[in-house]
């Protein structure tokens, strides 16, 4: 088997069908399997997918333990020499999957490769392709992530210049919404760290992969459409913001040690405390502000719960839902 394609679903059954359809219409020269992992969707429409695509391997999780955990289950059942992790809201319009596959197969030092992602009606999807630094985290937490001069240059100029050149170029990490990697990496690097429920799990895994000497590339010759965050958007922006911050806490506690770790803990406390002071008076007049206050207090507690607790905490989707209602 050349390739295992893994799709994680959470209440976006129609997106899954469209994604699979686009795969089947555009992959012709390699053998592949498709594994769909359902993250305990409330509607369970996905249970009927084999009526449409009998050859699909369907795995129904009985609880939702996050994006990384679900992908790990899919990868543990895969048999391909290479693995493509793809979100349900990704659409393929050409032979980009084969381009990514050929690149990894022909480049022995390349461990991971991702395509250029394009958002319908709004153009190229920009993201920070460098591993987080103390500086970038500071900009991120104080709302200067894409506007500070150094950050803006790395966000836009770096990608624009390299994509325009047309050749595959090295980055620190590629988006987990569509990334291809060597099949052996699941066992070699233990898959995603499932302490992350959502966001940054792909960054942290690629940090481990790259630290072991493998190279990670973006390939301008491969392009996909990404109808951004179709699953997460159903849970609301507060849920999204909460997990973006929670995942930053986990990633940085794993990566930074000594004084850097102490400084990061302080800066996170500062950023969250400012949010608490901002939303506290508003919480008396607005349910939305009350929710924002509660999630920031919860994050403050998490940030100060100790390294061991942070790195071993497994987010309970149902237990924490009260924060977002």
């Amino acid at each position: 088997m050349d390739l295992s394609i893994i799709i994680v679903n959470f209440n976006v059954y129609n997106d899954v069908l469209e994604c699979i359809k686009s795969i089947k219409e555009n992959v012709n020269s390699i053998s592949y399997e498709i594994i769909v992992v359902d993250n305990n969707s409330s509607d369970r429409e996905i249970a009927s997918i084999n009526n449409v695509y009998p050859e699909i391997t369907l795995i129904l999780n009985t609880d939702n333990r996050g994006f990384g955990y679900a992908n790990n289950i899919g990868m543990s059942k895969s048999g391909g020499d290479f693995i493509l992790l793809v979100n349900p809201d990704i659409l393929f319009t050409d032979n980009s999957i084969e381009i990514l596959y050929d690149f990894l197969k022909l480049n022995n030092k390349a461990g991971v490769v991702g395509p250029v992602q394009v958002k319908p009606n709004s153009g190229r999807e920009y993201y920070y392709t460098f591993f987080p630094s103390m500086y970038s985290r500071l900009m991120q937490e104080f709302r200067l992530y894409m506007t500070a001069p150094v950050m803006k240059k790395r966000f836009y100029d770096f990608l624009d210049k390299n994509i325009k050149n047309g050749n595959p170029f090295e980055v620190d990490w590629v988006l987990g919404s569509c990334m291809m990697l060597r099949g052996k990496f699941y066992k070699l690097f233990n898959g995603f760290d499932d302490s992350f429920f959502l966001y940054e799990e792909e960054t942290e895994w690629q940090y481990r992969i790259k630290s072991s000497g493998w190279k990670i590339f973006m390939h301008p010759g491969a392009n996909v459409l990404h109808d951004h965050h179709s699953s997460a958007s159903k849970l609301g922006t507060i849920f999204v913001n909460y997990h973006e911050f929670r995942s930053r806490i986990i990633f940085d506690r794993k990566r930074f040690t000594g004084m850097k770790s102490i400084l990061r803990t302080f800066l996170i406390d500062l950023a969250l405390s400012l949010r608490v002071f901002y939303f506290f008076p508003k919480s008396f007049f607005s349910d939305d502000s009350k929710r924002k206050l509660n999630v920031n207090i919860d994050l403050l507690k998490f940030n100060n719960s100790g390294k061991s607790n942070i790195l071993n905490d497994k987010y309970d989707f149902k237990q924490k839902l009260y924060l977002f209602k």
Side-chain angles (χ1 to χ4, degrees):
M1 180 75 64
D2 294 325
L3 181 67
S4 296
I5 302 173
I6 298 169
I7 305 171
V8 174
N9 172 65
F10 182 70
N11 291 327
V12 286
Y13 176 55
N14 289 330
D15 284 356
V16 174
L17 292 179
E18 290 300 313
C19 178
I20 293 173
K21 180 183 177 183
S22 73
I23 292 169
K24 289 185 168 293
E25 289 176 347
N26 290 287
V27 180
N28 302 299
S29 64
I30 58 178
S31 61
Y32 65 93
E33 63 177 348
I34 299 177
I35 300 171
V36 175
V37 183
D38 182 73
N39 240 350
N40 197 30
S41 294
S42 57
D43 52 40
R44 283 299 200 193
E45 286 182 289
I46 200 75
S48 64
I49 195 170
N50 288 130
N51 295 331
V52 183
Y53 297 111
E55 72 280 10
I56 299 297
T57 298
L58 175 63
I59 300 170
L60 298 174
N61 286 348
T62 56
D63 58 358
N64 185 348
R65 293 174 58 184
F67 175 80
Y69 177 84
N71 270 299
N72 284 345
I73 290 177
M75 287 188 283
S76 72
K77 305 295 183 183
S78 66
D81 295 330
F82 298 90
I83 293 172
L84 176 66
L85 305 179
V86 56
N87 279 12
D89 53 8
I90 292 288
L91 291 175
F92 300 93
T93 59
D94 57 20
N95 65 332
S96 288
I97 291 177
E98 294 168 348
I99 290 172
L100 298 176
Y101 172 84
D102 289 341
F103 176 79
L104 280 186
K105 191 172 183 180
L106 294 172
N107 291 272
N108 293 331
K109 294 183 179 180
V112 182
V113 63
V116 176
Q117 299 194 21
V118 178
K119 295 182 286 187
N121 303 317
S122 57
R124 183 177 300 153
E125 184 165 359
Y126 290 91
Y127 67 100
Y128 193 72
T129 59
F130 302 86
F131 289 132
S133 65
M134 296 291 286
Y135 173 76
S136 69
R137 287 303 201 203
L138 186 65
M139 296 299 100
Q140 195 170 16
E141 276 143 25
F142 289 92
R143 309 292 177 86
L144 299 169
Y145 199 36
M146 297 179 71
T147 56
V150 174
M151 300 300 297
K152 190 173 182 180
K153 185 177 181 66
R154 283 192 157 189
F155 255 110
Y156 298 105
D157 294 356
F158 175 79
L159 283 178
D160 286 341
K161 178 182 176 181
N162 284 285
I163 291 172
K164 184 178 180 180
N165 287 339
N167 298 316
F169 57 97
E170 193 171 353
V171 294
D172 281 342
W173 64 283
V174 297
L175 288 171
S177 49
C178 187
M179 60 181 278
M180 190 178 291
L181 60 150
R182 297 183 182 274
K184 64 182 180 181
F185 281 6
Y186 171 67
K187 291 183 178 179
L188 189 62
F189 297 106
N190 300 316
F192 289 110
D193 182 339
D194 60 13
S195 295
F196 297 88
F197 182 83
L198 191 64
Y199 306 121
E200 300 222 5
E201 62 279 287
E202 79 266 51
T203 314
E204 191 276 333
W205 193 22
Q206 289 173 82
Y207 180 78
R208 284 184 276 132
I209 291 170
K210 192 163 187 177
S211 295
S212 296
W214 292 92
K215 294 184 177 182
I216 296 168
F217 289 87
M218 182 181 284
H219 200 311
N223 290 263
V224 301
L225 293 177
H226 188 190
D227 187 10
H228 204 43
H229 298 322
S230 66
S231 293
S233 63
K234 294 185 177 183
L235 294 166
T237 57
I238 297 177
F239 183 88
V240 169
N241 292 336
Y242 174 87
H243 280 287
E244 286 179 341
F245 219 124
R246 180 181 180 274
S247 292
R248 292 202 294 272
I249 292 170
I250 297 170
F251 185 102
D252 290 351
R253 202 58 64 91
K254 290 188 70 171
R255 181 183 178 191
F256 294 122
T257 58
M259 287 304 299
K260 283 189 175 181
S261 180
I262 294 171
L263 180 58
R264 275 299 296 144
T265 301
F266 169 76
L267 290 174
I268 291 169
D269 279 348
L270 177 61
L272 289 171
S273 296
L274 289 173
R275 288 164 169 79
V276 168
F277 285 124
Y278 178 78
F279 289 116
F280 177 72
K282 293 176 174 287
S283 67
F284 292 99
F285 308 100
S286 164
D287 289 339
D288 184 66
S289 293
K290 187 175 182 179
R291 286 190 290 270
K292 291 176 180 177
L293 173 67
N294 288 335
V295 298
N296 283 290
I297 291 173
D298 190 82
L299 287 167
L300 259 174
K301 292 177 180 178
F302 182 63
N303 188 49
N304 290 280
S305 63
K307 183 174 181 177
S308 178
N309 288 330
I310 290 172
L311 299 186
N312 292 291
D313 182 68
K314 307 299 180 187
Y315 179 82
D316 188 320
F317 180 75
K318 291 181 179 179
Q319 184 181 5
K320 292 276 190 176
L321 273 181
Y322 73 91
L323 285 171
F324 314 104
K325 293 182 177 179

